[in-house]
Amino acid sequence: MLASYFSGKIKMPTTSALTLTNQQLRLAIRKQRAALPPHEQQHLSHKATRHLSGRALFRNARYIALYLPVKGEADPTFLRKLTHPRQQIYLPVLSPFGGARLWFVLWNEHTRFRLNRFQIPEPLPHWRYSRPARWIDLVITPLVAVDKHGSRLGMGGGFYDRTFSFKRIPANNSRRPYLCGFAYAFQQVESLPQQPWDVPLDAVTSDCGFFQFNTRLY
Ligand SMILES: Nc1nc2c(c(=O)[nH]1)N(C=O)[C@@H](CNc1ccc(C(=O)N[C@@H](CCC(=O)O)C(=O)O)cc1)CN2
Ligand SMILES: Nc1ncnc2c1ncn2[C@@H]1O[C@H](COP(=O)(O)OP(=O)(O)OP(=O)(O)O)[C@@H](O)[C@H]1O
């Protein structure tokens, strides 16, 4: 439908994302995502996981942020089972100080959860188990749509863009963290309108493969 499955070879989409507003595109893809039967969500998410888990960028990352999927989002949590003991998994938590920024809090067998204001489970924030965004090696980001340049459309809160805005400053010379979108192939669209605050993804993994963007600003 909307997708241009750009991994590997680029196919033209039947509907250009540019003909829809961001809000219309969000609604259309969210509907398609929520309509996937659970076994299909799991099957496609497994495939997306396999396209990433063997790569050095995953195996060499010590601090990895995942997210807990809601409403049919692709599920990256299988990656947790594929980590080795020296790797640590973090989850996003809405900053208790506001500002629409994310904290990253350790997820282990002792982690206690609560629902945030979007009804998404998140670890109870504790400074001892939090890690600053710039000290995470690999962030698996949720997304609604991504285009072939790595522009990401999210749920519309601007959380990831605000949290990783430091990556847009060339003087930071910050390759870290590596931002990898996690999605279904139908979320990959030809083109999204770019906003000045957008922080491009470094890569995306989906059921149709792993795709690295040439978006190095630094
Ligand atoms: N699984 C998951 N966790 C995540 C994100 C995400 O996209 N997916 N986020 C990515 O930034 C952050 C939360 N951002 C969000 C931004 C807006 C809405 C939202 O609009 N939700 C409702 C409507 C609003 C409401 O309930 O008050 C909706 O689903 O329609 C949800 C999450 C952090 N954690
Ligand atoms: N670095 C920033 N500084 C200030 N405002 C920002 C910044 N990044 C995003 N915003 C604001 O956040 C709002 C939502 O942005 P956008 O629609 O790009 O969110 P999104 O990427 O879809 O959401 P999310 O990252 O939460 O999944 C915009 O109105 C924008 O003004």
Side-chain angles (χ1 to χ4, degrees), residues 109-184:
E109 64 279 16
H110 306 296
T111 306
R112 288 164 57 212
F113 289 86
R114 67 174 185 195
L115 289 181
N116 67 24
R117 66 185 150 98
F118 300 116
Q119 306 305 307
I120 301 174
E122 60 176 36
L124 290 175
H126 191 297
W127 62 268
R128 233 174 117 179
Y129 304 112
S130 297
R131 194 166 181 85
R134 64 181 71 228
W135 293 353
I136 304 273
D137 298 316
L138 170 65
V139 178
I140 304 298
T141 64
L143 58 92
V144 176
V146 58
D147 75 9
K148 63 182 180 180
H149 306 292
S151 287
R152 167 186 174 277
L153 181 70
M155 295 286 272
F159 287 94
Y160 279 87
D161 287 333
R162 279 194 190 78
T163 305
F164 297 105
S165 56
F166 63 85
K167 283 203 30 146
R168 297 178 53 239
I169 303 169
N172 278 346
N173 193 26
S174 177
R175 300 179 75 85
R176 210 159 72 145
Y178 191 95
L179 302 182
C180 179
F182 196 89
Y184 304 116

Coordinates of all heavy atoms in Angstrom, one line a residue, residues 109-184:
E109 N 16.1 -8.7 35.7 CA 15.1 -9.5 36.4 C 14.5 -8.8 37.6 O 13.4 -9.2 38.1 CB 15.6 -10.9 36.7 CG 16.7 -11.0 37.7 CD 18.1 -10.7 37.1 OE1 18.2 -10.1 35.9 OE2 19.1 -11.1 37.7
H110 N 15.1 -7.7 38.1 CA 14.6 -7.0 39.3 C 13.8 -5.8 39.0 O 13.2 -5.2 39.9 CB 15.8 -6.6 40.2 CG 16.7 -7.7 40.6 ND1 16.3 -8.7 41.3 CD2 18.0 -7.9 40.2 CE1 17.4 -9.6 41.5 NE2 18.4 -9.1 40.8
T111 N 13.7 -5.5 37.7 CA 13.1 -4.2 37.3 C 11.6 -4.2 37.6 O 10.9 -5.2 37.3 CB 13.3 -4.0 35.8 OG1 14.6 -4.0 35.5 CG2 12.7 -2.6 35.3
R112 N 11.1 -3.2 38.2 CA 9.7 -3.0 38.5 C 9.1 -2.0 37.5 O 9.8 -1.0 37.1 CB 9.5 -2.6 39.9 CG 9.8 -3.8 40.9 CD 9.9 -3.3 42.3 NE 8.8 -2.6 42.8 CZ 8.8 -1.7 43.7 NH1 10.0 -1.3 44.2 NH2 7.8 -1.1 44.2
F113 N 7.9 -2.3 37.0 CA 7.3 -1.5 36.0 C 6.1 -0.7 36.5 O 5.4 -1.1 37.4 CB 6.9 -2.4 34.8 CG 8.0 -3.0 34.0 CD1 8.7 -4.1 34.4 CD2 8.5 -2.3 32.9 CE1 9.8 -4.6 33.8 CE2 9.6 -2.8 32.2 CZ 10.2 -4.0 32.6
R114 N 5.7 0.3 35.7 CA 4.5 1.0 35.9 C 4.0 1.5 34.5 O 4.8 1.4 33.5 CB 4.6 2.2 36.8 CG 5.5 3.3 36.2 CD 5.6 4.5 37.0 NE 6.4 5.6 36.3 CZ 6.8 6.7 36.9 NH1 6.7 6.9 38.1 NH2 7.5 7.5 36.2
L115 N 2.8 1.9 34.4 CA 2.3 2.4 33.1 C 2.5 3.9 33.0 O 2.2 4.6 34.0 CB 0.8 2.1 32.9 CG 0.4 0.7 32.7 CD1 -1.1 0.6 32.5 CD2 1.1 0.1 31.5
N116 N 3.1 4.4 31.9 CA 3.2 5.9 31.8 C 1.9 6.5 31.3 O 0.9 5.8 31.1 CB 4.5 6.2 30.9 CG 4.3 5.8 29.5 OD1 3.2 5.7 29.0 ND2 5.4 5.7 28.8
R117 N 1.9 7.8 31.0 CA 0.7 8.4 30.7 C 0.1 8.0 29.3 O -1.0 8.3 29.0 CB 0.8 9.9 30.7 CG 1.7 10.6 29.7 CD 1.8 12.1 30.0 NE 3.1 12.6 29.6 CZ 3.3 13.3 28.5 NH1 2.3 13.4 27.7 NH2 4.5 13.7 28.2
F118 N 0.9 7.3 28.5 CA 0.4 6.8 27.2 C 0.1 5.3 27.4 O -0.1 4.6 26.4 CB 1.5 6.9 26.1 CG 1.9 8.3 25.9 CD1 3.2 8.8 26.1 CD2 1.0 9.3 25.4 CE1 3.6 10.1 25.9 CE2 1.3 10.6 25.1 CZ 2.6 11.0 25.4
Q119 N 0.0 4.8 28.6 CA -0.3 3.4 28.9 C 0.7 2.5 28.4 O 0.5 1.3 28.0 CB -1.7 3.0 28.4 CG -2.8 3.9 28.9 CD -2.9 4.0 30.4 OE1 -2.9 3.0 31.1 NE2 -2.9 5.3 30.9
I120 N 2.0 2.9 28.3 CA 3.1 2.1 27.9 C 3.8 1.7 29.2 O 4.2 2.6 30.0 CB 4.0 2.8 26.9 CG1 3.3 3.3 25.7 CG2 5.2 1.9 26.5 CD1 4.1 4.1 24.7
P121 N 4.1 0.4 29.4 CA 4.9 0.0 30.6 C 6.3 0.6 30.5 O 6.9 0.5 29.5 CB 4.9 -1.6 30.5 CG 4.0 -2.0 29.4 CD 3.8 -0.8 28.5
E122 N 6.8 1.1 31.6 CA 8.1 1.6 31.7 C 8.7 1.3 33.1 O 8.0 1.2 34.1 CB 8.2 3.1 31.4 CG 7.4 4.0 32.3 CD 7.6 5.5 32.0 OE1 7.7 5.9 30.9 OE2 7.6 6.2 33.0
P123 N 10.0 1.1 33.2 CA 10.6 0.8 34.5 C 10.4 2.0 35.4 O 10.4 3.1 34.9 CB 12.1 0.6 34.2 CG 12.2 0.3 32.7 CD 11.0 1.0 32.1
L124 N 10.3 1.8 36.7 CA 10.3 2.9 37.7 C 11.6 3.6 37.5 O 12.7 3.0 37.6 CB 10.1 2.3 39.1 CG 8.8 1.7 39.4 CD1 8.9 1.1 40.8 CD2 7.7 2.7 39.3
P125 N 11.6 4.9 37.3 CA 12.8 5.6 37.1 C 13.7 5.7 38.4 O 13.1 5.9 39.5 CB 12.4 7.0 36.7 CG 11.0 7.2 37.1 CD 10.4 5.8 37.3
H126 N 14.9 5.4 38.3 CA 15.8 5.5 39.5 C 17.2 5.9 38.9 O 17.7 5.3 38.0 CB 15.9 4.1 40.2 CG 16.6 4.2 41.5 ND1 17.9 4.6 41.7 CD2 16.1 4.0 42.8 CE1 18.2 4.6 42.9 NE2 17.1 4.3 43.6
W127 N 17.7 7.0 39.5 CA 19.0 7.5 39.0 C 20.1 6.5 39.0 O 20.9 6.4 38.1 CB 19.5 8.8 39.8 CG 19.8 8.5 41.2 CD1 18.9 8.6 42.3 CD2 21.0 8.0 41.8 NE1 19.5 8.2 43.4 CE2 20.8 7.9 43.2 CE3 22.2 7.7 41.2 CZ2 21.8 7.4 44.0 CZ3 23.2 7.2 42.1 CH2 23.0 7.1 43.5
R128 N 20.0 5.5 39.9 CA 21.1 4.5 40.0 C 21.1 3.6 38.8 O 22.1 3.0 38.4 CB 20.9 3.7 41.2 CG 22.1 3.6 42.1 CD 21.8 2.9 43.4 NE 22.6 1.7 43.5 CZ 22.5 0.9 44.5 NH1 21.6 1.2 45.5 NH2 23.2 -0.1 44.6
Y129 N 19.9 3.4 38.2 CA 19.8 2.4 37.1 C 19.6 3.2 35.8 O 19.3 2.6 34.8 CB 18.7 1.5 37.3 CG 18.8 0.7 38.6 CD1 18.0 0.9 39.7 CD2 19.9 -0.2 38.8 CE1 18.2 0.3 40.9 CE2 20.1 -0.8 40.0 CZ 19.3 -0.6 41.0 OH 19.5 -1.3 42.2
S130 N 19.7 4.5 35.8 CA 19.5 5.3 34.5 C 20.9 5.5 33.9 O 21.9 5.6 34.5 CB 18.9 6.7 34.9 OG 17.7 6.5 35.4
R131 N 20.8 5.6 32.6 CA 22.0 5.9 31.8 C 21.8 7.0 30.8 O 20.8 7.0 30.1 CB 22.4 4.6 31.0 CG 23.8 4.7 30.5 CD 24.3 3.3 30.0 NE 25.6 3.5 29.5 CZ 26.7 3.5 30.3 NH1 26.6 3.2 31.6 NH2 27.9 3.8 29.8
P132 N 22.6 8.1 30.8 CA 22.4 9.2 29.9 C 22.3 8.7 28.4 O 23.0 7.8 28.1 CB 23.6 10.1 30.1 CG 24.1 9.7 31.4 CD 23.8 8.3 31.6
A133 N 21.4 9.3 27.7 CA 21.2 8.9 26.3 C 22.5 8.8 25.5 O 22.6 7.9 24.7 CB 20.2 9.9 25.6
R134 N 23.4 9.7 25.7 CA 24.6 9.7 24.9 C 25.6 8.6 25.3 O 26.6 8.3 24.6 CB 25.3 11.1 24.9 CG 25.8 11.5 26.3 CD 26.5 12.9 26.2 NE 25.5 14.0 26.0 CZ 25.7 14.9 25.1 NH1 26.7 14.9 24.3 NH2 24.8 15.9 25.0
W135 N 25.3 7.9 26.4 CA 26.2 6.8 26.8 C 25.5 5.4 26.5 O 26.0 4.4 26.9 CB 26.5 6.8 28.3 CG 27.4 8.0 28.6 CD1 28.0 8.9 27.8 CD2 27.7 8.4 29.9 NE1 28.7 9.8 28.4 CE2 28.6 9.6 29.8 CE3 27.5 8.0 31.2 CZ2 29.1 10.3 30.9 CZ3 28.0 8.7 32.3 CH2 28.8 9.8 32.1
I136 N 24.5 5.4 25.7 CA 24.0 4.2 25.2 C 24.7 3.9 23.8 O 24.9 4.9 23.1 CB 22.4 4.3 24.9 CG1 21.7 4.7 26.2 CG2 21.9 3.0 24.4 CD1 21.3 3.6 27.2
D137 N 25.0 2.7 23.5 CA 25.7 2.4 22.3 C 24.7 2.2 21.1 O 25.0 2.7 20.0 CB 26.5 1.1 22.4 CG 27.6 1.2 23.5 OD1 28.3 2.2 23.5 OD2 27.7 0.3 24.3
L138 N 23.6 1.5 21.3 CA 22.7 1.2 20.3 C 21.3 1.4 20.8 O 20.9 0.9 21.8 CB 22.9 -0.3 19.9 CG 21.9 -0.9 18.9 CD1 21.9 -0.2 17.5 CD2 22.1 -2.4 18.8
V139 N 20.5 2.3 20.0 CA 19.1 2.5 20.4 C 18.2 2.0 19.4 O 18.3 2.4 18.2 CB 18.9 4.0 20.6 CG1 17.4 4.3 21.0 CG2 19.8 4.6 21.7
I140 N 17.4 1.0 19.7 CA 16.4 0.4 18.8 C 15.2 1.3 19.0 O 14.6 1.4 20.1 CB 16.1 -1.0 19.2 CG1 17.4 -1.9 19.2 CG2 15.0 -1.6 18.3 CD1 18.1 -2.0 17.9
T141 N 14.9 2.0 17.9 CA 13.8 3.0 18.1 C 12.5 2.5 17.5 O 12.5 2.0 16.4 CB 14.2 4.4 17.4 OG1 14.3 4.1 16.0 CG2 15.5 4.9 17.9
P142 N 11.4 2.8 18.2 CA 10.1 2.6 17.6 C 9.8 3.6 16.5 O 10.4 4.7 16.6 CB 9.1 2.8 18.8 CG 9.8 3.7 19.7 CD 11.3 3.5 19.5
L143 N 9.0 3.3 15.6 CA 8.7 4.3 14.5 C 7.4 4.0 13.9 O 6.9 2.8 14.0 CB 9.8 4.4 13.5 CG 10.1 3.1 12.7 CD1 9.3 3.0 11.4 CD2 11.6 3.1 12.4
V144 N 6.8 5.0 13.3 CA 5.5 4.8 12.5 C 5.9 4.6 11.0 O 5.4 3.8 10.3 CB 4.5 5.9 12.7 CG1 3.3 5.7 11.9 CG2 4.1 6.0 14.2
A145 N 6.8 5.5 10.6 CA 7.3 5.4 9.2 C 8.7 5.8 9.1 O 9.2 6.6 9.9 CB 6.4 6.2 8.2
V146 N 9.4 5.3 8.1 CA 10.8 5.8 7.9 C 11.0 5.8 6.3 O 10.4 5.0 5.6 CB 11.8 4.8 8.5 CG1 11.7 3.4 8.0 CG2 13.3 5.2 8.3
D147 N 11.8 6.8 5.9 CA 12.0 6.9 4.4 C 13.4 6.5 4.1 O 14.2 6.1 4.9 CB 11.6 8.3 3.9 CG 12.6 9.4 4.2 OD1 13.7 9.0 4.7 OD2 12.3 10.5 4.0
K148 N 13.7 6.5 2.8 CA 14.9 5.9 2.3 C 16.2 6.7 2.7 O 17.3 6.3 2.5 CB 14.9 5.7 0.8 CG 14.8 6.9 0.0 CD 14.7 6.6 -1.5 CE 14.6 7.9 -2.3 NZ 14.5 7.6 -3.7
H149 N 16.0 7.9 3.3 CA 17.1 8.7 3.8 C 17.3 8.6 5.3 O 18.2 9.2 5.8 CB 16.9 10.2 3.5 CG 16.6 10.5 2.0 ND1 17.5 10.3 1.0 CD2 15.4 10.9 1.4 CE1 17.0 10.6 -0.1 NE2 15.7 10.9 0.0
G150 N 16.4 7.8 5.9 CA 16.5 7.6 7.4 C 15.6 8.6 8.2 O 15.7 8.6 9.4
S151 N 14.9 9.5 7.5 CA 13.9 10.3 8.2 C 12.9 9.5 8.9 O 12.3 8.6 8.3 CB 13.2 11.3 7.3 OG 14.1 12.3 6.9
R152 N 12.6 9.8 10.1 CA 11.7 9.0 10.9 C 10.5 9.7 11.3 O 10.6 10.9 11.7 CB 12.5 8.5 12.2 CG 11.6 7.9 13.3 CD 12.5 7.6 14.5 NE 11.6 7.2 15.6 CZ 10.9 8.0 16.4 NH1 11.0 9.3 16.3 NH2 10.2 7.5 17.4
L153 N 9.3 9.1 11.2 CA 8.1 9.6 11.7 C 7.7 8.8 12.9 O 7.6 7.6 12.8 CB 7.0 9.6 10.6 CG 5.6 10.1 11.0 CD1 5.7 11.7 11.1 CD2 4.6 9.8 9.9
G154 N 7.5 9.4 14.0 CA 7.1 8.7 15.2 C 5.7 8.9 15.6 O 4.8 9.3 14.8
M155 N 5.4 8.7 16.9 CA 4.0 8.9 17.4 C 3.6 10.3 17.5 O 2.5 10.6 17.8 CB 3.9 8.2 18.8 CG 4.1 6.7 18.7 SD 2.7 5.9 18.0 CE 1.7 5.7 19.4
G156 N 4.5 11.3 17.3 CA 4.2 12.7 17.3 C 4.5 13.5 18.6 O 4.2 14.6 18.7
G157 N 5.2 12.8 19.5 CA 5.5 13.5 20.8 C 6.9 14.2 20.7 O 7.2 15.0 21.5
G158 N 7.7 13.9 19.7 CA 9.0 14.5 19.5 C 10.0 14.0 20.6 O 11.0 14.6 20.8
F159 N 9.7 12.8 21.2 CA 10.6 12.4 22.3 C 12.0 12.0 21.8 O 13.0 12.3 22.4 CB 9.9 11.2 23.0 CG 8.7 11.5 23.9 CD1 7.4 11.5 23.4 CD2 8.9 12.0 25.2 CE1 6.3 11.8 24.1 CE2 7.8 12.3 26.0 CZ 6.5 12.3 25.4
Y160 N 12.0 11.1 20.8 CA 13.3 10.7 20.3 C 14.1 11.8 19.7 O 15.3 12.0 19.9 CB 13.2 9.5 19.3 CG 13.0 8.2 20.1 CD1 11.7 7.8 20.5 CD2 14.1 7.4 20.4 CE1 11.5 6.6 21.2 CE2 13.9 6.2 21.2 CZ 12.6 5.8 21.5 OH 12.5 4.7 22.3
D161 N 13.4 12.7 19.0 CA 14.1 13.9 18.3 C 14.7 14.8 19.4 O 15.9 15.2 19.3 CB 13.2 14.7 17.5 CG 12.8 14.0 16.2 OD1 13.7 13.2 15.7 OD2 11.7 14.2 15.7
R162 N 14.0 15.0 20.5 CA 14.5 15.9 21.5 C 15.7 15.2 22.3 O 16.7 15.8 22.5 CB 13.4 16.2 22.6 CG 12.5 17.3 22.1 CD 11.7 17.8 23.3 NE 10.6 18.7 22.9 CZ 9.5 18.4 22.4 NH1 9.2 17.1 22.2 NH2 8.6 19.2 22.0
T163 N 15.5 14.0 22.6 CA 16.5 13.2 23.4 C 17.8 13.1 22.7 O 18.8 13.2 23.3 CB 15.9 11.8 23.8 OG1 14.6 12.0 24.4 CG2 16.8 11.1 24.7
F164 N 17.7 12.9 21.3 CA 19.0 12.7 20.6 C 19.4 14.0 19.8 O 20.2 13.8 18.8 CB 18.9 11.5 19.7 CG 18.7 10.2 20.6 CD1 17.5 9.6 20.7 CD2 19.8 9.8 21.3 CE1 17.3 8.5 21.5 CE2 19.6 8.7 22.2 CZ 18.4 8.0 22.2
S165 N 18.8 15.1 20.1 CA 19.1 16.3 19.3 C 20.6 16.7 19.3 O 21.1 17.2 18.4 CB 18.3 17.5 19.9 OG 18.6 17.7 21.2
F166 N 21.4 16.2 20.3 CA 22.8 16.4 20.3 C 23.5 15.8 19.2 O 24.6 16.2 18.7 CB 23.4 16.0 21.7 CG 23.3 14.5 21.9 CD1 24.2 13.6 21.4 CD2 22.2 14.0 22.7 CE1 24.1 12.2 21.6 CE2 22.1 12.6 22.9 CZ 23.1 11.8 22.4
K167 N 22.9 14.8 18.6 CA 23.5 14.1 17.4 C 23.5 15.0 16.2 O 24.3 14.8 15.2 CB 22.8 12.8 17.0 CG 23.1 11.7 18.0 CD 22.9 10.3 17.5 CE 23.1 10.0 16.1 NZ 23.6 8.6 15.8
R168 N 22.7 16.1 16.2 CA 22.6 17.0 15.0 C 23.7 18.0 15.0 O 23.9 18.7 14.1 CB 21.3 17.6 14.9 CG 20.1 16.6 14.7 CD 18.8 17.3 14.7 NE 18.7 18.4 13.8 CZ 18.4 19.6 14.1 NH1 18.2 20.0 15.3 NH2 18.4 20.5 13.1
I169 N 24.4 18.1 16.1 CA 25.5 19.2 16.3 C 26.8 18.6 15.8 O 27.4 17.7 16.5 CB 25.6 19.7 17.7 CG1 24.2 20.2 18.2 CG2 26.7 20.7 17.9 CD1 24.1 20.5 19.6
P170 N 27.3 19.0 14.6 CA 28.6 18.4 14.1 C 29.7 18.4 15.1 O 30.5 17.5 15.2 CB 28.9 19.2 12.8 CG 27.6 19.9 12.5 CD 26.8 20.1 13.8
A171 N 29.8 19.5 15.9 CA 31.0 19.7 16.8 C 31.0 18.6 17.8 O 32.0 18.3 18.4 CB 30.9 21.0 17.5
N172 N 29.9 18.0 18.1 CA 29.8 16.9 19.1 C 30.6 15.6 18.6 O 30.9 14.8 19.4 CB 28.4 16.5 19.4 CG 27.7 17.4 20.4 OD1 28.4 18.1 21.0 ND2 26.4 17.3 20.5
N173 N 30.7 15.6 17.3 CA 31.3 14.4 16.6 C 30.8 13.1 17.2 O 31.5 12.2 17.5 CB 32.9 14.5 16.8 CG 33.6 13.5 15.9 OD1 33.1 13.2 14.9 ND2 34.8 13.1 16.3
S174 N 29.5 13.1 17.5 CA 28.9 12.0 18.2 C 28.4 10.9 17.3 O 27.4 11.1 16.6 CB 27.8 12.5 19.1 OG 27.2 11.4 19.8
R175 N 29.1 9.8 17.2 CA 28.6 8.7 16.4 C 27.7 7.9 17.3 O 26.9 7.0 16.8 CB 29.7 7.8 15.9 CG 30.7 8.5 15.0 CD 31.8 7.6 14.6 NE 31.4 6.6 13.6 CZ 31.3 6.9 12.3 NH1 31.7 8.1 11.8 NH2 30.9 6.0 11.4
R176 N 27.7 8.1 18.6 CA 27.0 7.4 19.5 C 25.8 8.2 20.0 O 26.0 9.4 20.1 CB 27.9 7.1 20.7 CG 27.5 5.8 21.4 CD 28.6 5.2 22.3 NE 28.9 6.0 23.5 CZ 29.2 5.5 24.6 NH1 29.4 4.2 24.8 NH2 29.5 6.3 25.6
P177 N 24.7 7.6 20.3 CA 24.4 6.2 20.0 C 24.0 6.0 18.6 O 23.6 6.9 17.9 CB 23.2 6.0 20.9 CG 22.6 7.3 21.3 CD 23.6 8.4 21.0
Y178 N 24.1 4.8 18.2 CA 23.7 4.4 16.8 C 22.2 4.1 16.9 O 21.7 3.4 17.8 CB 24.5 3.1 16.5 CG 24.3 2.6 15.1 CD1 25.3 3.0 14.1 CD2 23.2 1.9 14.6 CE1 25.2 2.5 12.8 CE2 23.1 1.5 13.3 CZ 24.1 1.8 12.4 OH 24.0 1.4 11.1
L179 N 21.5 4.8 16.1 CA 20.0 4.7 16.1 C 19.5 3.8 15.0 O 19.7 4.1 13.8 CB 19.4 6.1 15.9 CG 19.7 7.2 16.9 CD1 19.0 8.5 16.5 CD2 19.5 6.8 18.3
C180 N 18.9 2.7 15.4 CA 18.4 1.7 14.5 C 16.9 1.6 14.6 O 16.5 1.1 15.7 CB 19.1 0.4 14.7 SG 18.5 -0.9 13.5
G181 N 16.2 2.0 13.6 CA 14.7 1.8 13.7 C 14.3 0.3 13.6 O 15.1 -0.5 13.0
F182 N 13.2 0.0 14.2 CA 12.7 -1.4 14.2 C 11.3 -1.4 13.7 O 10.5 -0.7 14.3 CB 12.8 -2.0 15.6 CG 12.7 -3.5 15.7 CD1 13.9 -4.3 15.6 CD2 11.5 -4.1 15.8 CE1 13.8 -5.6 15.6 CE2 11.4 -5.5 15.9 CZ 12.6 -6.3 15.8
A183 N 11.0 -2.1 12.5 CA 9.8 -1.8 11.9 C 9.3 -3.0 11.0 O 10.1 -4.0 10.8 CB 9.9 -0.6 11.0
Y184 N 8.1 -3.0 10.6 CA 7.6 -3.9 9.5 C 8.0 -3.2 8.2 O 8.0 -2.0 8.1 CB 6.1 -4.0 9.6 CG 5.6 -4.5 10.9 CD1 4.8 -3.7 11.7 CD2 5.9 -5.8 11.4 CE1 4.3 -4.1 13.0 CE2 5.5 -6.2 12.6 CZ 4.6 -5.4 13.4 OH 4.2 -5.8 14.6

